[in-house]
Amino acid sequence: MEYTVQKLAHIAGVSTRTLRYYDEIGILKPARINSSGYRIYGENEVNMLQQILFYKELGISLENIKEIIASPSFDREKALREHHQKLLEKRMQLDLLIANVNKTIETIEGRTIMNDKEKFKGFKQKLIDDNEKKYGKEIREKYGNKVIDESNKKLNNMSKEEYKKITELENEIMETLYLAFKTSNPSGELAQKAADLHRQWISFYWNNYSKEAHAGLAQMYVDDERFKAYYDKKQTGMAEFLRDAILIYTGTEK
């Protein structure tokens, strides 16, 4: 069956403007243009639009979606199976949060008792899922599935006090790093304090700390644009500065 822009937009639940934009950026071209100048979409385009909307639901950018579906190795069935697994994980996350809300209500009403660890159930899992979505591929390739799975398990089992501590540490790292950056001295007292705070922070996630792994992580902050953007958001060059401070702290600078 074939569809015009208006008809496809209607059955897909998107705007006609969205479909025209997808055509403009080359992520979803119509099958043909008819004699009246209308875009016409066939079965292949309908299937591709479904894939695009699945990827968007998982929070993937249009730029990355285009790269994925344009790849010669793109496998629609494999992609659907991956979507299915990701959606199941998302449903599990929502179920955890719904259960958390329900039990909190019951606690307020005096019908049950909820310990502090239970109050954060679901939120920590969301943090894990978000990290996996953003950085999972890179960190798993670098450190291996076992290390990352153990780190995620450790995070999920954190107490309220531990979870609060890592949040405070993360803020303290950025504040100290910013002050140290203004000194332009990665070997200075402030920079080395930032490196030590960073060691304390990652030790909450890692079962075993090593100077080499710490230095490798610092280098990844510079090599990966997403990590670099996080540390450079306050001042350009802070990712490299932190890397240099950590290399000095760990004694691994060349």
Side-chain angles (χ1 to χ4, degrees):
M1 190 167 181
E2 291 188 329
Y3 301 92
T4 61
V5 166
Q6 195 166 28
K7 287 183 179 178
L8 181 56
H10 178 72
I11 66 168
V14 299
S15 67
T16 56
R17 183 178 180 180
T18 294
L19 291 180
R20 292 189 180 96
Y21 178 65
Y22 287 175
D23 183 7
E24 288 173 13
I25 64 175
I27 194 172
L28 182 67
K29 291 285 187 182
R32 60 187 177 87
I33 305 294
N34 69 12
S35 58
S36 300
Y38 289 105
R39 295 174 174 88
I40 303 297
Y41 297 85
E43 183 179 358
N44 288 337
E45 290 70 40
V46 170
N47 291 339
M48 191 60 72
L49 177 59
Q50 182 193 42
Q51 290 290 348
I52 292 168
L53 296 180
F54 275 139
Y55 280 122
K56 281 194 66 182
E57 184 65 27
L58 295 173
I60 300 174
S61 69
L62 284 176
E63 183 180 355
N64 287 336
I65 294 173
K66 182 179 178 181
E67 185 178 337
I68 292 167
I69 62 179
S71 170
S73 60
F74 177 72
D75 185 325
R76 182 170 176 248
E77 182 179 350
K78 181 182 177 182
L80 285 171
R81 293 188 185 279
E82 290 174 352
H83 291 321
H84 183 253
Q85 181 60 37
K86 293 294 183 182
L87 289 171
L88 287 176
E89 291 170 3
K90 192 171 184 179
R91 183 174 70 181
M92 186 183 300
Q93 166 67 19
L94 289 173
D95 287 343
L96 282 171
L97 291 174
I98 290 169
N100 190 322
V101 171
N102 286 337
K103 192 163 187 179
T104 302
I105 292 171
E106 290 175 1
T107 301
I108 293 171
E109 293 175 346
R111 293 187 285 128
T112 190
I113 297 174
M114 191 177 195
N115 63 43
D116 287 340
K117 185 175 180 181
E118 289 176 306
K119 291 175 184 177
F120 292 93
K121 195 171 184 180
F123 294 106
K124 288 183 286 187
Q125 185 60 49
K126 185 177 187 303
L127 176 60
I128 291 170
D129 293 342
D130 288 345
N131 285 338
E132 282 283 353
K133 186 188 298 181
K134 291 179 182 177
Y135 314 117
K137 181 181 178 182
E138 289 78 7
I139 60 177
R140 285 182 179 277
E141 287 177 353
K142 188 173 184 64
Y143 297 106
N145 289 330
K146 183 180 178 182
V147 171
I148 302 306
D149 289 341
E150 287 177 352
S151 175
N152 289 342
K153 183 178 179 181
K154 191 174 182 182
L155 174 58
N156 243 333
N157 290 330
M158 279 183 189
S159 66
K160 174 186 175 183
E161 290 73 24
E162 289 174 323
Y163 190 68
K164 181 181 178 183
K165 179 64 176 176
I166 62 170
T167 303
E168 292 173 346
L169 268 175
E170 189 171 358
N171 292 331
E172 190 176 358
I173 289 167
M174 294 302 289
E175 291 171 4
T176 306
L177 179 61
Y178 179 65
L179 292 174
F181 180 76
K182 292 196 289 186
T183 71
S184 302
N185 184 8
S187 63
E189 183 179 349
L190 275 175
Q192 291 305 292
K193 179 183 177 182
D196 185 64
L197 289 169
H198 191 268
R199 175 195 59 79
Q200 295 177 45
W201 179 68
I202 60 174
S203 293
F204 274 96
Y205 296 94
W206 293 0
N207 284 330
N208 298 295
Y209 171 83
S210 78
K211 292 181 178 180
E212 292 74 18
H214 193 185
L217 182 63
Q219 184 60 51
M220 188 167 70
Y221 288 166
V222 175
D223 295 339
D224 190 297
E225 288 299 323
R226 292 163 300 175
F227 285 106
K228 188 175 182 181
Y230 173 78
Y231 284 100
D232 281 0
K233 62 185 176 183
K234 196 165 186 177
Q235 183 68 54
T236 301
M238 280 176 58
E240 286 89 346
F241 185 83
L242 176 60
R243 186 268 317 275
D244 293 343
I246 290 174
L247 292 181
I248 293 169
Y249 178 83
T250 57
T252 55
E253 76 273 26
K254 295 180 182 178

